[in-house]
Amino acid sequence: MKLPIYMDNHSTTPVDPSVLEAMLPYFTNKFGNAASRSHPFGWEAEEAVEKSRVQIGKLIGSGHKEIIFTSGATESTNIALKGTAEMTCEKGNHIITQVTEHKATLDSAKYLEKHGCQVTYLPVDQNGMVDPLDVEKAITPKTILITIMHANNEVGTIQPIGEIGKIAKKHGVLFHVDAAQTLGRLAISVDQMGIDILSVSGHKIYGPKGIGALYVRRTNPRVRLSPIVHGGGHERGIRSGTLNVPAIVGFGQACELASSLMDEESRRITELRDRLMKGIMGALPDVFLNGHPSLRLCGNLNLSFAYVEGEALMMGLNDIAVSSGSACTSASLEPSYVLRSMGKPEELAHTSIRFGLGRFNTEEEVQFVITRVVETVTKLREMSPLYEMAKQGIDLKSVQWDVPH
Ligand SMILES: *Cc1c(COP(=O)(O)O)cnc(C)c1O
């Protein structure tokens, strides 16, 4: 076993060896521009790009012509929101989303608010779930788009996408889903789920970084989106720019691999995740699970550790690559907005750790992480006066603190 251990697979994943192998020829002898129609170099590149569209489409139940290549899920989501708003501005200007979306969605929505749109940010419950009834109640004659993520990248909660899709269809409103965390992990069917636009990313499923896709429905209804990048008219005019053929080939291969491994892999990763959870929670009191107890991504374990300091905890886990809801690891000073929106108290949001298990994690690594987490938290609590007081039954909320000026 090698240190450090990588357990941050919601942030990114390593490129699978077979993905790299598929990509390599497209950097060297197969270097053509997929838009070059007049010679074999172009044809060869175009053929590879079309194959990738088929591979991605298979994973979401769409046709290959409905796949638009982008630089990632962030760009896909920007196009989905801004492109819909601009295209449908005569019909209305109202968008419905929810508070624990990825920043790609929330910040695009905020941008649109500055440009004349109205946005409803629905709340979530303590498990991070949005209520489909709230979605339906928020719809007005001016509503042009509902955008809800499939699964959350911090706490792993899976949203009731199928139910929301039905509501969107019933009211004739377009439905966009950010599926960056679920492509290749959960079954997706754009038809059964009533999805019109879908954002996905290569590097979350063992493909390369800097490549993503946008599914844009072509029938029932035919979705039209205004571009945000203008130019040569590539990708049905929705996203101009010469295609990144090697990355596209890699993304396609990553999808092919994911569809063949999905069932077995999610069983294996669920087992590792549950072992990790039981190992930690069985050995330590006052540890809380964040996110939905069962409707969650198989590789996600998000825990809050009471009576320890978030920064000290992360420092103690320095040979394990995980993510924290604490201020110290992010650019902002706020604790995780996702945990706060779920009603978690600030002190628990600050001491949350997200373990993100993936394809290459082993039982041995899980065992190491359990031991290291239990050791570190136990040691930090032994040094903590707060924990001492809590053990003596003092209600910490009732304590009058003497705050130095
Ligand atoms: C990673 C992620 C994104 C952004 O994807 P990029 O391809 O890195 O731009 C968007 N939404 C969710 C839920 C994600 O996990």
Side-chain angles (χ1 to χ4, degrees), residues 10 154 273 276-277 280-281 289-290 296-297 299-303 353-357:
H10 301 300
E154 278 189 40
R273 192 268 318 272
L276 181 62
M277 180 169 73
I280 293 172
M281 294 180 97
L289 178 70
N290 299 311
R296 65 188 301 129
L297 286 172
N300 181 282
L301 181 65
N302 191 311
L303 298 175
I353 302 268
R354 177 186 72 183
F355 302 90
L357 291 105

Side-chain angles (χ1 to χ4, degrees), residues 23-334:
M23 289 170 70
L24 285 174
Y26 293 90
F27 286 106
T28 51
N29 48 339
K30 301 184 179 185
F31 60 86
N33 184 330
S36 299
R37 292 280 155 78
S38 51
H39 52 69
F41 295 88
W43 304 336
E44 183 175 57
E46 194 196 6
E47 197 182 314
V49 167
E50 294 314 308
K51 179 178 169 196
S52 174
R53 287 191 218 279
V54 173
Q55 290 168 318
I56 297 167
K58 266 212 296 224
L59 212 40
I60 62 171
S62 86
H64 60 106
K65 288 183 180 162
E66 298 176 301
I67 302 297
I68 300 285
F69 287 109
T70 66
S71 64
T74 298
E75 188 189 343
S76 294
T77 296
N78 271 260
I79 298 173
L81 271 75
K82 297 174 190 173
T84 303
E86 192 176 326
M87 186 56 82
T88 6
C89 55
E90 330 81 64
K91 190 203 160 206
N93 64 347
H94 178 232
I95 293 172
I96 298 169
T97 187
Q98 59 90 18
V99 289
T100 69
E101 291 291 308
H102 191 269
K103 287 288 181 187
T105 298
L106 294 177
D107 288 356
S108 294
K110 271 192 217 138
Y111 168 87
L112 289 171
E113 278 184 296
K114 279 196 242 150
H115 291 79
C117 281
Q118 286 195 316
V119 181
T120 301
Y121 300 90
L122 297 173
V124 292
D125 68 11
Q126 76 278 6
N127 293 330
M129 282 283 233
V130 67
D131 185 343
L133 287 176
D134 286 347
V135 176
E136 185 152 33
K137 276 188 253 162
I139 295 173
T140 75
K142 292 268 179 214
T143 306
I144 51 170
L145 184 71
I146 296 167
T147 174
I148 304 285
M149 70 201 320
H150 194 181
N152 183 269
N153 46 299
E154 278 189 40
V155 295
T157 300
I158 299 165
Q159 301 293 356
I161 292 304
E163 284 175 65
I164 298 169
K166 278 202 193 84
I167 292 166
K169 275 273 162 311
K170 182 172 134 197
H171 293 269
V173 176
L174 292 180
F175 184 31
H176 167 250
V177 173
D178 171 357
Q181 288 294 338
T182 53
L183 181 74
R185 296 196 170 83
L186 292 177
I188 298 177
S189 161
V190 288
D191 285 340
Q192 279 169 27
M193 295 169 142
I195 298 166
D196 299 304
I197 315 169
L198 183 94
S199 297
V200 291
S201 176
H203 73 101
K204 302 285 174 80
I205 64 156
Y206 311 95
K209 294 171 183 56
I211 189 72
L214 187 64
Y215 156 77
V216 185
R217 180 174 286 285
R218 276 168 70 94
T219 52
N220 272 323
R222 185 182 183 86
V223 176
R224 293 173 67 233
L225 298 173
S226 295
I228 53 180
V229 173
H230 302 264
H234 308 75
E235 301 299 276
R236 291 160 56 194
I238 294 173
R239 206 278 196 166
S240 286
T242 301
L243 292 176
N244 182 351
V245 179
I248 287 170
V249 168
F251 190 10
Q253 170 63 22
C255 288
E256 185 84 46
L257 205 56
S259 71
S260 70
L261 297 179
M262 187 147 60
D263 293 343
E264 192 250 309
E265 188 164 281
S266 55
R267 253 197 307 280
R268 192 182 74 82
I269 293 176
T270 304
E271 235 175 76
L272 286 180
R273 192 268 318 272
D274 290 348
R275 179 188 294 249
L276 181 62
M277 180 169 73
K278 286 188 190 121
I280 293 172
M281 294 180 97
L284 290 171
D286 301 307
V287 179
F288 304 97
L289 178 70
N290 299 311
H292 198 284
S294 56
L295 296 173
R296 65 188 301 129
L297 286 172
C298 65
N300 181 282
L301 181 65
N302 191 311
L303 298 175
S304 285
F305 297 86
Y307 315 116
V308 297
E309 251 243 85
E311 285 169 50
L313 180 54
M314 285 300 278
M315 260 155 33
L317 302 180
N318 61 354
D319 44 16
I320 307 168
V322 288
S323 203
S324 140
S326 163
C328 62
T329 56
S330 70
S332 81
L333 286 169
E334 294 293 303

Side-chain angles (χ1 to χ4, degrees), residues 154-155 324-327 330 334-341 349-350 352:
E154 278 189 40
V155 295
S324 140
S326 163
S330 70
E334 294 293 303
S336 154
Y337 69 92
V338 172
L339 294 175
R340 295 294 286 141
S341 322
H350 268 301
S352 73

